[in-house]
Amino acid sequence: MAKYSISPSGEKFPLPTKEDYRKEFEKLKEAAKRQRAKGREIVVVMGLGFVGAVMAAVVADAADKKGNPTKFVIGMQRPSTRSYWKTPLLNRGIPPVSSEDPEVVPIIKRCVLEKKTLMATYTYDALKLADVVVVDVQCDYQKESIGNVRTGQADMEALEESLEIIAGNINPEALVLIETTVAPGTTEQIAYPIIKKMFRKRGIQSDPLLAHSYERVMPGRNYVASIRDFWRVCSGVNEEATRRVVKFLKEILNTEKFPLTVLDRPIESETAKIVENSFRATTLAFLDEWSLFAERNGVDIIKVIQAIKVRPTHSNMIFPGPGIGGYCLPKDGGLGLWAYRHIHGWEDDIFKITPLAIDINDTRSLHVAQLVRDALRNMGRAMASAEILVLGASYREDVGDTRYSGSELIVRRLTEMGAELRVHDPYVLHWWEFEKQDEYPASSQGMKRFFRGQEKLKDLRVEQNLKKALAGIDALIFAVRHRHYLNLEPDEVVKMAGNPIAVIDCFGILNDDQIRRYFELGCEVKGLGRGHVKRIKDQVRGNKRAEA
Ligand SMILES: NC(=O)c1ccc[n+]([C@@H]2O[C@H](COP(=O)([O-])OP(=O)(O)OC[C@H]3O[C@@H](n4cnc5c(N)ncnc54)[C@H](O)[C@@H]3O)[C@@H](O)[C@H]2O)c1
């Protein structure tokens, strides 16, 4: 029976057959031959996810001083039912990821359809044609509980499998550049031996040309620029690998304006990535206790942060919202802890701040459920069977990436407490963490297993029509700072809801006028770190009493 892969918009793509593979490789060989004749290097980008899809386009768009393309890129995506659709879609010039960055659509269209320097494939045979292989597959960190990252472990399966496949197929002269965020030590102590062993099996004596350079991509409004026009750190396992990775990155990135940092060994580049993200996770976690302090003592943490940020040394302080999601910050510190013990063999426990920060960030969103409970109680309504709408499923504003979003835990906790959930997000068509909650992410990694009564959430659908989503609700949670939510007028919202509601602001979205208006309309308002709402409420209630 034919198997299908279904794209987010619902288009069905049959998975390739045995015969397709043979024809596909012939097609790739022909294309590579034509491109080589034009003096272009062949680059295979393995893994067309959030990083690989746009990285592939940036490489394919690279040109020499005269504007002639210097690379031909083959994006390689394994043909799983979950991901195969990305390949045919990209070959039509359509990005497999959605984003607010206006550059994403044209760069992919340009490279695929006009310059013809980018194509996608499902066959590992593409690796045989590569001068450079860029590895952009995932390396997960599997948690065993919420709020205790120490009990988790690195999941290297996809990466190790990819490295074996690469080693079994590449020309030994090809540069293998690992961009995946890995446990420090992976390039030299895991990847190098895997490739070396496979080379030996193939009768190849030479040393693998292996390097690491981590991605700092931010899939938001500056998605493309965050790859191309941004600083990079890199390192190779030997002199030749270092020379090759520096040359490659200089040819594809804007290194004149954003110079490269070359470190002595890959473990230093790998450590830089983990420390960089752990630093960010820590500064965000730090604000959790001050957010609670503010909430309980009449302080608006949003105004406090704005006041502090005026000082240039503190300008990068950011409010953590309902938890820290995304693929990177919740896991990267865990990869560091795991490496210390399992790659480098240390027995003692030197880490205090890094795991604590992740644990705080991972549990922060659960507090939102308490605010909803209290707001509903103040209105004389029960949580059980209350209709609650969450605005925003993504982990950050103006992107369609739901991985480990605070919103997911909000939905799960409130469901556990008996509420009926709805969700609206203009960037997310399918919230796979619910729709396919038994298999996505892999069943052993999903958040479902940490909550009870979650079965019905597989029927949760993301509503695109705000009016419909709001009709008849009891509570509204502003969970993500999508631009669509920043100027919603209280009068409109309450009119669409059909009655006064509980409003929970998780991200400093409401200004004081809007908060006041919600109270005037008979609503209840609460917010993470927004202790001053009580003052506004007292003013409004006081005014009402005076009027009466
Ligand atoms: N998303 C971000 O914002 C971001 C930022 C910086 C760094 N990173 C890091 O970059 C890496 C990739 O992240 P991502 O967000 O693109 O992940 P992703 O899960 O979106 O993409 C990984 C892709 O690799 C594919 N894949 C897995 N095994 C494969 C194989 N054997 N052959 C071909 N394809 C295979 C998967 O199907 C998937 O499409 C991770 O290490 C991540 O930590 C991500």
Side-chain angles (χ1 to χ4, degrees):
M1 212 170 62
K3 276 193 170 173
Y4 292 93
S5 172
I6 303 173
S7 75
S9 65
E11 190 171 349
K12 260 172 127 183
F13 295 96
L15 295 192
T17 62
K18 236 182 185 172
E19 178 59 10
D20 291 331
Y21 275 84
R22 198 185 51 77
K23 284 192 203 144
E24 178 79 358
F25 188 39
E26 287 307 315
K27 189 177 88 187
L28 291 176
K29 275 198 291 196
E30 275 305 306
K33 201 167 137 195
R34 280 196 307 275
Q35 297 282 340
R36 276 230 166 75
K38 293 181 184 169
R40 294 174 189 164
E41 261 195 330
I42 312 296
V43 180
V44 171
V45 175
M46 197 162 181
L48 294 176
F50 281 93
V51 175
V54 179
M55 174 65 181
V58 167
V59 181
D61 205 39
D64 61 18
K65 290 217 161 76
K66 289 186 193 146
N68 297 317
T70 53
K71 314 281 177 213
F72 174 64
V73 180
I74 305 172
M76 210 255 104
Q77 173 58 50
R78 65 177 168 190
S80 59
T81 41
R82 203 168 86 200
S83 294
Y84 171 66
W85 57 268
K86 297 177 188 176
T87 305
L89 219 65
L90 198 118
N91 280 332
R92 287 184 201 158
I94 300 169
V97 287
S98 72
S99 138
E100 263 292 274
D101 183 355
E103 227 192 315
V104 172
V105 169
I107 194 175
I108 288 189
K109 191 170 165 210
R110 178 166 73 241
C111 292
V112 175
L113 303 177
E114 291 160 32
K115 294 169 110 178
K116 299 197 190 306
T117 51
L118 174 60
M119 62 190 280
T121 189
Y122 47 82
T123 172
Y124 291 131
D125 283 336
L127 293 160
K128 297 186 168 77
L129 307 167
D131 298 304
V132 178
V133 178
V134 179
V135 182
D136 281 327
V137 306
Q138 71 274 30
C139 174
D140 289 318
Y141 185 80
Q142 187 170 330
K143 291 180 184 161
E144 299 302 336
S145 58
I146 305 183
N148 189 357
V149 67
R150 286 175 200 276
T151 55
Q153 52 189 310
D155 174 1
M156 314 274 286
E157 203 184 311
L159 182 67
E160 287 181 339
E161 186 197 338
S162 303
L163 290 163
E164 266 174 38
I165 294 164
I166 290 168
N169 282 285
I170 54 166
N171 176 334
E173 296 305 308
L175 170 72
V176 178
L177 167 56
I178 299 178
E179 290 200 318
T180 301
T181 304
V182 291
T186 297
T187 302
E188 287 153 284
Q189 299 199 41
I190 294 176
Y192 182 86
I194 288 177
I195 300 180
K196 191 79 187 161
K197 201 165 136 197
M198 185 60 85
F199 271 16
R200 219 173 285 135
K201 249 194 206 168
R202 291 173 61 196
I204 298 165
Q205 300 309 324
S206 61
D207 239 10
L209 296 175
L210 187 57
H212 183 262
S213 174
Y214 62 90
E215 276 288 356
R216 286 168 163 157
V217 58
M218 286 165 283
R221 285 195 194 114
N222 300 311
Y223 202 161
V224 175
S226 70
I227 294 182
R228 187 191 52 212
D229 307 310
F230 216 64
W231 300 269
R232 274 283 188 130
V233 177
C234 68
S235 185
V237 293
N238 52 37
E239 246 177 63
E240 179 58 7
T242 305
R243 190 190 68 77
R244 288 277 301 275
V245 71
V246 169
K247 176 175 175 287
F248 176 67
L249 293 175
K250 282 191 170 170
E251 284 167 351
I252 58 161
L253 307 177
N254 185 359
T255 53
E256 273 178 24
K257 249 189 158 169
F258 302 90
L260 280 179
T261 301
V262 185
L263 294 176
D264 292 341
R265 287 179 52 195
I267 189 174
E268 290 172 336
S269 164
E270 294 163 337
T271 305
K273 173 69 182 181
I274 300 297
V275 175
E276 193 170 307
N277 276 353
S278 298
F279 174 73
R280 194 65 160 166
T282 301
T283 57
L284 286 155
F286 159 74
L287 280 174
D288 180 63
E289 60 205 33
W290 289 108
S291 169
L292 279 174
F293 174 92
E295 224 171 280
R296 292 172 182 174
N297 294 289
V299 174
D300 183 7
I301 194 79
I302 302 298
K303 294 197 200 87
V304 169
I305 292 172
Q306 277 161 0
I308 297 170
K309 283 173 74 155
V310 172
R311 181 179 168 172
T313 51
H314 289 52
S315 61
N316 66 357
M317 198 177 224
I318 46 170
F319 180 67
I324 306 308
Y327 186 44
C328 298
L329 295 202
K331 75 168 168 53
D332 287 358
L335 292 173
L337 263 64
W338 184 86
Y340 183 72
R341 189 169 288 242
H342 297 285
I343 298 184
H344 305 288
W346 298 98
E347 290 297 335
D348 60 343
D349 185 5
I350 57 168
F351 290 102
K352 296 185 181 68
I353 295 172
T354 300
L356 182 62
I358 292 179
D359 294 344
I360 289 171
N361 292 339
D362 282 358
T363 47
R364 182 170 160 78
S365 57
L366 300 178
H367 178 52
V368 176
Q370 297 169 355
L371 295 183
V372 178
R373 176 200 63 197
D374 294 347
L376 283 173
R377 190 192 288 144
N378 287 355
M379 298 181 79
R381 294 185 202 169
M383 172 75 96
S385 75
E387 292 276 347
I388 301 176
L389 171 63
V390 178
L391 289 184
S394 307
Y395 81 93
R396 60 173 291 198
E397 69 265 26
D398 299 329
V399 294
D401 185 350
T402 55
R403 290 183 289 178
Y404 306 110
S405 73
S407 302
E408 180 184 346
L409 290 203
I410 295 173
V411 169
R412 293 202 179 281
R413 173 62 104 213
L414 288 171
T415 299
E416 199 173 56
M417 291 165 77
E420 297 291 330
L421 270 295
R422 306 179 188 179
V423 61
H424 173 274
D425 193 307
Y427 299 97
V428 178
L429 292 177
H430 292 276
W431 200 351
W432 297 123
E433 282 83 347
F434 291 110
E435 263 186 60
K436 299 203 168 174
Q437 60 178 356
D438 293 321
E439 53 204 274
Y440 180 83
S443 59
S444 56
Q445 289 174 17
M447 290 290 150
K448 178 190 165 201
R449 67 206 154 107
F450 302 128
F451 297 86
R452 54 177 281 280
Q454 304 288 297
E455 282 314 317
K456 65 177 179 187
L457 286 173
K458 65 179 187 312
D459 300 323
L460 186 73
R461 294 292 176 269
V462 186
E463 183 56 67
Q464 301 297 318
N465 181 327
L466 189 59
K467 199 171 165 191
K468 221 167 124 194
L470 280 161
I473 56 165
D474 296 291
L476 174 64
I477 302 175
F478 284 96
V480 186
R481 290 185 61 86
H482 287 328
R483 64 184 166 83
H484 311 69
Y485 305 146
L486 301 183
N487 298 312
L488 281 181
E489 280 314 318
D491 288 81
E492 280 291 295
V493 170
V494 173
K495 199 170 143 204
M496 287 192 268
N499 68 103
I501 53 174
V503 179
I504 314 299
D505 181 2
C506 300
F507 235 128
I509 290 172
L510 302 179
N511 62 35
D512 288 359
D513 288 341
Q514 289 167 321
I515 294 171
R516 184 170 297 109
R517 188 63 192 145
Y518 276 118
F519 279 124
E520 284 168 0
L521 292 164
C523 299
E524 184 66 28
V525 184
K526 290 197 176 290
L528 289 176
R530 311 214 71 185
H532 74 309
V533 293
K534 171 86 172 49
R535 215 165 42 236
I536 300 178
K537 180 178 170 179
D538 289 346
Q539 279 166 6
V540 172
R541 301 283 191 264
N543 288 348
K544 278 208 168 142
R545 264 197 302 274
E547 279 166 23

